[in-house]
Amino acid sequence: QVQLVESGGGLVQAGGSLRLSCVVSGTYFSIRDMAWYRQAPGKERELVAGISFGGITNYADSVKDRFTILRDNAKKTVYLQMNSLKPEDTAVYYCNIDVNQPLRTMNYWGQGTQVTVSS
């Protein structure tokens, strides 16, 4: 079983910064892609940023130049550095990973962490 534990969410004023962390534990061969998604009230869950095992990143247009995704493979952790936060960034943020298991790749979600940006 694989567990993802997120932290770092909270309340911040517009223009402020937060750093989210997601630590992976459990039994698996290796971690492949890691990503952050978010879901605002009444909206569908959307991809915010992703990073491959080799460090290739991709971002939603709405967060480019403001958010940075990083991973520390030794610590089994993925981070989302969020700068210049806007009220529209308010959402529950979820960590998502693909891991290699015997004979297959499996996908896991974290429990989510709330980010609230006040105007």
Side-chain angles (χ1 to χ4, degrees):
Q1 189 67 7
V2 174
Q3 296 82 39
L4 282 64
V5 178
E6 297 137 335
S7 61
L11 173 64
V12 65
Q13 289 188 332
S17 298
L18 284 173
R19 188 176 83 155
L20 306 182
S21 300
C22 173
V23 181
V24 183
S25 63
T27 303
Y28 53 88
F29 282 162
S30 60
I31 302 174
R32 298 178 59 167
D33 297 339
M34 308 179 86
W36 288 95
Y37 287 74
R38 68 185 180 188
Q39 188 166 20
K43 295 188 176 181
E44 293 187 354
R45 192 171 295 189
E46 63 174 355
L47 176 67
V48 176
I51 185 166
S52 69
F53 178 80
I56 297 173
T57 59
N58 62 286
Y59 296 92
D61 288 343
S62 59
V63 306
K64 280 181 181 177
D65 301 323
R66 298 190 299 122
F67 291 9
T68 302
I69 187 169
L70 300 165
R71 65 188 286 170
D72 186 328
N73 292 326
K75 294 183 178 179
K76 303 174 184 179
T77 302
V78 61
Y79 306 95
L80 185 66
Q81 177 66 44
M82 304 184 294
N83 299 328
S84 302
L85 282 161
K86 303 175 181 180
E88 51 264 43
D89 293 319
T90 295
V92 178
Y93 284 70
Y94 297 91
C95 178
N96 179 268
I97 66 170
D98 287 330
V99 299
N100 289 317
Q101 297 283 29
L103 303 179
R104 58 181 176 171
T105 299
M106 294 191 67
N107 184 264
Y108 295 92
W109 290 93
Q111 80 286 355
T113 185
Q114 177 71 47
V115 172
T116 303
V117 185
S118 63
S119 57

